[in-house]
Amino acid sequence: MKPGTLNKLLILTFCATAFSQVNAQSKRKIEKIFKASEIVNNHYTGFALYDPAKDKMIYELDANKPAIPASNTKIITVYTALNMLGDSIPGLRYITNGDSLIFWGTGDPSMLHPDLKSTRVYDFLKNSDKKLFYSHSNASTDFAGSAIYTIAMVSLPVGENTAQAYAGPDGKVRLKPEFLNEFLRLDTSYHPRAFSVRRDERTNTFSYPAMPVPANFKQTVYLVPGAKLTQQTLTEVLGKPVNITGMALPAEAKTIYSIRADSLYKRMMLPSDNYLAEQILYLCSSTLPGKLSVEAAIQHSSKNYLTDLPDLFQWRDGSGLSRSNYFSPRSIVKMLIKTRDKVNDEQRLLNMFPVGGVSGTLRTAFKTDNGVPFVWAKTGTLSNVRIQGGYLVTRKGKKFIYSFMNNNFLIPSADVSNEMVRIMTLIREKY
């Protein structure tokens, strides 16, 4: 062997050994942090810390074990939408036939949404000089949601598919849209602690108690979707007749696009909006054959986009409200890597996530470093479940991707949340 070749081999061996020693030291430092914690050692804690620059896991704690991800499920929902939808959200499918405009919903939740403020579909229908016909034929069911969580999938939501209950000028309770007041009744057997309006579990009928209506009373009530509700709501908000037809959605139907996709994802992710999360998956299914269906979107994504996850998973909804969702910390990290690669723009990516000390569900959790944030992550919260998953920048400028999962604890949830913040801040300071 030539002396030069031998020297190169020795240098490579030395570098590899040094690299391995640095990784081992990093692992021991983080392991020490977790072992010293009285909080994370009294329940299931799963943790994974990944270094993108080295394409290597720095530290894992039960990272292969599935756990309830709560709203970290929304990361999978966003990734699915990034693959199935384009840069703009399809808001309406339609055809014209003589003097008639026939249209179908896509599941887009942005129409007259109070925060998204999308009016393109509204303007299109409002300004049409043709007779309007709404078809509900591509909706999977009239009521596909859960009465427990008050979320129902809607093919053409208007203003979040909600009614607003409020105190009218005459001191009586009223509903908006106005046509719903026909279905509002006094119920002397209803005795809430404070005045409130109650919706029937399966129908859009409402009751209120025999109590004085507070002058400032306001309440949002989710509605049970269906063709008749959409038709009546559109008739009221458009100020002109909308009819119902059972016509099937033809392949040649055209599409009206509503808003930029990123604005919808950001509005869902920052406040962790469960309604929008479910609607986004419902919307994704509009790109598939057949009826709109959250289940269809989940099956399509699992088969086509999630086959490279490192551990077995179970996925049931878009929001993470279901306790039947199971993903391991390693799989959450993988989803964060895949989302980063799919977006391929760091600023655009981080803009979709709550920012520690700045915005969303992390606004009051972390403190910034003299106004500079260092963590962008999705939280997850259910009873006995606290989760974080996202992106971290250390004081030395290293960029990490992490998943921190806590399940089945019996101590106060604030203690667990605060401990996650403390540990992630320590990692920020030490690396």
Side-chain angles (χ1 to χ4, degrees):
M1 182 181 294
K2 295 180 180 180
T5 303
L6 178 60
N7 288 337
K8 289 179 181 178
L9 286 174
L10 290 172
I11 292 171
L12 289 173
T13 301
F14 174 79
C15 290
T17 302
F19 177 76
S20 178
Q21 289 175 345
V22 169
N23 281 341
Q25 290 172 359
S26 297
K27 181 178 178 180
R28 284 195 296 270
K29 285 181 182 179
I30 299 173
E31 186 175 39
K32 187 176 181 180
I33 292 172
F34 276 87
K35 283 186 175 181
S37 172
E38 296 181 3
I39 301 295
V40 301
N41 288 304
N42 62 16
H43 59 269
Y44 165 79
T45 298
F47 184 78
L49 185 68
Y50 170 81
D51 185 340
K54 298 176 181 176
D55 189 22
K56 187 178 182 65
M57 282 289 187
I58 300 298
Y59 181 70
E60 297 180 68
L61 174 64
D62 288 335
N64 64 325
K65 295 180 179 178
I68 297 171
S71 283
N72 265 213
T73 307
K74 293 180 174 74
I75 298 169
I76 297 98
T77 296
V78 165
Y79 181 73
T80 297
L82 288 167
N83 280 277
M84 297 185 70
L85 305 173
D87 292 338
S88 297
I89 297 298
L92 195 76
R93 304 293 304 281
Y94 75 96
I95 62 169
T96 56
N97 186 5
D99 64 350
S100 300
L101 173 67
I102 305 157
F103 58 95
W104 294 258
T106 61
D108 173 20
S110 68
M111 181 178 176
L112 301 184
H113 187 285
D115 297 312
L116 296 168
K117 296 178 172 54
S118 173
T119 63
R120 288 200 66 187
V121 170
Y122 171 86
D123 292 341
F124 175 72
L125 297 174
K126 178 75 172 177
N127 297 329
S128 174
D129 60 358
K130 296 184 179 294
K131 296 177 182 178
L132 300 180
F133 289 86
Y134 165 67
S135 177
H136 196 68
S137 64
N138 65 329
S140 53
T141 61
D142 278 352
F143 187 79
S146 165
I148 297 174
Y149 300 129
T150 67
I151 295 175
M153 303 303 96
V154 189
S155 63
L156 186 54
V158 180
E160 294 187 288
N161 191 51
T162 59
Q164 302 302 316
Y166 63 98
D170 57 0
K172 296 180 179 180
V173 64
R174 300 285 297 173
L175 292 174
K176 189 175 182 179
E178 292 294 330
F179 71 85
L180 291 173
N181 287 293
E182 178 184 349
F183 310 104
L184 179 63
R185 298 285 185 271
L186 171 67
D187 183 353
T188 56
S189 66
Y190 178 35
H191 302 289
R193 291 184 178 181
F195 186 90
S196 64
V197 171
R198 179 174 62 180
R199 192 205 76 202
D200 178 75
E201 186 174 298
R202 293 281 165 177
T203 66
N204 289 314
T205 55
F206 310 86
S207 57
Y208 62 93
M211 298 168 62
V213 184
N216 60 348
F217 173 71
K218 290 182 180 180
Q219 181 186 344
T220 298
V221 184
Y222 278 94
L223 301 175
V224 178
K228 187 67 175 177
L229 174 69
T230 301
Q231 178 252 336
Q232 290 177 306
T233 303
L234 286 174
T235 294
E236 181 168 317
V237 300
L238 294 172
K240 60 181 181 179
V242 175
N243 306 288
I244 295 176
T245 178
M247 183 177 179
L249 175 63
E252 68 273 14
K254 298 178 181 179
T255 302
I256 291 290
Y257 291 89
S258 58
I259 59 173
R260 297 285 297 176
D262 283 8
S263 62
L264 175 58
Y265 306 152
K266 181 178 181 179
R267 177 58 185 76
M268 182 268 283
M269 290 284 279
L270 265 62
S272 202
D273 192 311
N274 296 319
Y275 161 71
L276 288 182
E278 302 295 349
Q279 281 293 149
I280 287 171
L281 278 190
Y282 203 57
L283 171 63
C284 285
S285 73
S286 71
T287 66
L288 303 173
K291 293 179 180 291
L292 300 175
S293 164
V294 168
E295 292 75 15
I298 288 175
Q299 290 174 11
H300 179 83
S301 181
S302 298
K303 182 179 179 180
N304 292 277
Y305 312 129
L306 309 184
T307 56
D308 57 348
L309 295 190
D311 301 305
L312 291 176
F313 64 89
Q314 183 170 286
W315 184 18
R316 293 290 184 261
D317 67 4
S319 63
L321 283 172
S322 173
R323 299 185 78 95
S324 295
N325 294 314
Y326 285 96
F327 288 85
S328 70
R330 292 197 312 183
S331 291
I332 295 297
V333 165
K334 182 65 174 179
M335 289 306 311
L336 290 162
I337 295 169
K338 288 162 68 70
T339 302
R340 177 205 61 184
D341 293 345
K342 183 67 179 179
V343 173
N344 197 29
D345 182 322
E346 184 175 76
Q347 189 55 49
R348 180 188 167 208
L349 171 71
L350 299 182
N351 194 46
M352 296 182 194
F353 282 77
V355 185
V358 177
S359 65
T361 53
L362 287 181
R363 185 176 62 84
T364 59
F366 287 86
K367 293 181 180 179
T368 63
D369 189 349
N370 293 319
V372 179
F374 58 87
V375 61
W376 294 258
K378 185 72 199 73
T379 57
T381 302
L382 288 173
S383 297
N384 315 105
V385 174
R386 289 297 182 274
I387 311 290
Q388 281 186 25
Y391 309 92
L392 175 79
V393 177
T394 72
R395 186 169 292 282
K396 294 180 181 178
K398 293 182 179 180
K399 296 179 180 180
F400 291 150
I401 299 175
Y402 76 97
S403 172
F404 203 153
M405 307 186 77
N406 295 273
N407 278 198
N408 304 326
F409 54 83
L410 298 178
I411 60 177
S413 58
D415 292 350
V416 179
S417 297
N418 292 337
E419 185 68 351
M420 285 196 292
V421 170
R422 186 187 74 85
I423 289 175
M424 295 315 301
T425 303
L426 267 179
I427 293 173
R428 144 81 172 178
E429 295 297 325
K430 289 180 177 293
Y431 298 94

